[in-house]
Structure formats: C-alpha cells, structure tokens
Amino acid sequence: MNVLIIEDEKPSARYLQRMLEKQDVNVSQMLHSVEEAVNWFQNNPHPDLIFLDIQLSDGLSFEIFDAVEVNSAIIFTTAFDEYALQAFKLNSIDYLLKPIDEEELQAAVKKYKSLKPAAQNVQFNFEDIKKLLVNSVEREYKKRFITKIGQHIKMISVDEIECFYSENKGTYAHTEDGRDYLLETTLEQLEQELSPETFFRISRKFYININSIKDIISYTNSRLQLKLNSYKDQEVIVARERVKDFKLWLE
C-alpha cells in the first residue's frame, strides 16, 4: 500500500507517520502545502491512499484538485469539528478529528483495506465540502444545559460555563462560580452543540470558553498551559497538535 500524507504542520505529519508505521503502513511521502502537492502530483505516480489535512499553510487542500486530477482514496484529517462533518463521511473513506486518536486511525485504515480497490473510485464532491468550510453553517447552538441534582432539575446557561471536561467516563460542566455539574452528554456530542466562536476543544479532555481564559503560558513540548478564572482542579493544557488552531481561534 502506497500512502501519502499532506499536512502543513511537520510535527503532526511525523506523529501520524509514526502511528501508521506501528500498523505496518509505510508512508512513502509527506507534503506540506498546496503548491508542493500540486507539483508532486504532476510528476509522480499517485498513491493508493492519502491522509489529507483540510487547511494547509497556503490555502485549503481542495485547491490541489482544482489543478490536478487525483485518483487516490482519501482519509481527511481536520480540526473543523464544528461543521457538518457528515459531508466528509459521504465523500471519503473516513475522516479523523485532530488530535488524531490511534484507535480511530486503526479503524480508518481497516475500513480502507476492506473497501479497496473500490476506494479508489470514490467520487468526491469537493465543492459541497468547500462550502461547508468557507461559509460558516448558520445554525442554532445550545444556550443552556440541564442536570439532575437529587430530585431537582437545574438549568445551566452556556454563558456561565468556563469549561467542559471529561473525567472517569463522565462529562462535566465547570461554572464561573466554581461548581461542577455532571451532564448526560459527551465531548464528541458537544462538538455539534457549542458555538465555535466561544468554545474550543483544546484536547481530548477539555472544551474551553474563550471568556474564561485568564492567562496563557508556554509549556513543555510546544504546548500551552491555560489559567482559567475559577477552574483549578487539573492542569489545562492545549495539545501540541491543536496549538496552531487554538492561536488562530484566539484571533
């Protein structure tokens, strides 16, 4: 199997390469920009499978396909979890949300192997996917959550929530008055329910309200540590793979 990675963040590309090698999948080439990818496709045989980051340093990766016709199966890697990602399911073998989970990667590779050679014949509707990414989907986001406390039902306004976090297989909301409430949801479900202007998933464990950030500190391994207004139970760390997107979100 001939595999290509297109990812503008070189540490993320190497990390994905190492995970694939653990699964005995050899990566023949890593590319890091639209321009580099177009040049490469024009001068080399196309691979069986591409791991394709959506947003590259010099534009959306769909611009590659405006310039060259690519006959390869594609697994998208993306941080655009706030959009209608069902489009990726319909137009690719699979998609992987960053930071990429090793088990999810293994499942995506297994899915590709079970579908090939038909996987090479998937018809991509890149224009529809591009519209989802370029134009923010107009939608209503959750304004409140409910939680049960004894025999009582409490309503919690989203504006009161500093962060959401997972712990012991539960999902909690931490409010600005320093309280924690167990919710009947998961962080994955919250990806479709929270406004991307206000909330950002900094790791597999934390969702952060931009208004709750008191300080941002450089941390080990190119990560960032956040100090929130009231949450102090655990260190709040921005995963290395999410640092670039986090900084863009802050702007």
Side-chain angles (χ1 to χ4, degrees), residues 47-49 71-73 93 111-122:
D48 301 311
L49 176 63
N71 300 311
S72 305
I93 300 306
K111 181 178 177 182
Y112 163 74
K113 289 180 177 179
S114 70
L115 292 175
K116 69 174 189 179
Q120 260 70 36
N121 297 320
V122 174

Side-chain angles (χ1 to χ4, degrees), residues 10-28:
K10 294 183 180 180
S12 296
R14 290 193 293 268
Y15 175 68
L16 177 56
Q17 180 186 28
R18 289 195 298 270
M19 286 198 294
L20 287 167
E21 287 174 347
K22 285 183 182 178
Q23 300 177 29
D24 295 323
V25 175
N26 180 55
V27 176
S28 58

Side-chain angles (χ1 to χ4, degrees), residues 90-106:
L90 296 175
N91 286 272
S92 69
I93 300 306
D94 211 337
Y95 69 87
L96 298 168
L97 291 179
K98 296 180 178 180
I100 294 173
D101 177 78
E102 195 162 355
E103 289 185 3
E104 291 175 0
L105 174 63
Q106 188 173 14

Side-chain angles (χ1 to χ4, degrees), residues 145-205:
F145 290 85
I146 60 170
T147 185
K148 188 174 181 181
I149 304 175
Q151 299 301 312
H152 301 271
I153 300 293
K154 179 177 175 60
M155 292 186 296
I156 309 168
S157 169
V158 168
D159 296 335
E160 301 173 32
I161 298 173
E162 280 197 353
C163 67
F164 297 88
Y165 64 93
S166 61
E167 186 173 84
N168 297 325
K169 298 184 179 180
T171 300
Y172 295 83
H174 179 86
T175 56
E176 56 192 15
D177 60 0
R179 299 189 179 190
D180 298 276
Y181 298 96
L182 179 63
L183 304 178
E184 293 184 358
T185 186
T186 65
L187 291 186
E188 285 68 31
Q189 288 175 304
L190 290 176
E191 291 171 6
Q192 306 301 321
E193 299 174 340
L194 298 173
S195 168
E197 291 185 3
T198 306
F199 287 90
F200 185 86
R201 189 170 183 179
I202 62 167
S203 66
R204 299 195 68 81
K205 186 167 186 176

Side-chain angles (χ1 to χ4, degrees), residues 114-131:
S114 70
L115 292 175
K116 69 174 189 179
Q120 260 70 36
N121 297 320
V122 174
Q123 297 298 310
F124 296 98
N125 193 338
F126 290 118
E127 284 304 314
D128 283 351
I129 303 178
K130 191 189 299 185
K131 288 175 185 176

